[in-house]
Amino acid sequence: MNDYMYLFTVFIAMGAVTAAERLLPFACSSWLRVGVVGNFLPLAIMVLLVLHASTGSALARGGLPVPEAAGVFLTLIVQWFVKKPLLSIFAGTAVYVILVNSLFV
């Protein structure tokens, strides 16, 4: 197989996979209750992103995830009581940055 045929095959395969990924939810919509998934999915995605980012940060630093846990915990506490997302995110990020730069150098 020459290089152009290989590239053409790879592009066709990528296009087919991308199209299948985008069409699959519509094909399975009768099996899924879209209301439940629509309410649950944003929270699940955010939890997975936070876990992935904090785990990766702790592994890159080579220590326990104490600053990450403190930042997430403070974000949750501030959001629970104040209910202002921007303030919650800022407070958690500030605590994380302060802990990483001062105590866990």
Side-chain angles (χ1 to χ4, degrees):
M1 185 183 294
N2 62 14
D3 289 340
Y4 292 116
M5 189 62 172
Y6 176 75
L7 280 174
F8 181 72
T9 306
V10 168
F11 284 139
I12 294 297
M14 286 186 338
V17 169
T18 301
E21 286 178 344
R22 293 179 185 212
L23 293 175
L24 188 63
F26 296 108
C28 298
S29 65
S30 63
W31 301 330
L32 299 172
R33 285 191 280 166
V34 177
V36 174
V37 175
N39 291 335
F40 175 72
L41 196 58
L43 177 62
I45 290 172
M46 288 306 297
V47 168
L48 288 174
L49 285 172
V50 166
L51 285 174
H52 177 72
S54 58
T55 304
S57 177
L59 289 174
R61 199 179 65 255
L64 294 173
V66 175
E68 291 85 358
V72 169
F73 182 71
L74 183 68
T75 302
L76 290 173
I77 295 298
V78 171
Q79 180 61 29
W80 185 272
F81 289 111
V82 181
K83 302 210 185 322
K84 295 196 183 271
L86 193 58
L87 180 64
S88 304
I89 293 168
F90 179 74
T93 304
V95 165
Y96 169 74
V97 169
I98 289 169
L99 287 176
V100 166
N101 288 329
S102 62
L103 298 177
F104 296 94
V105 176

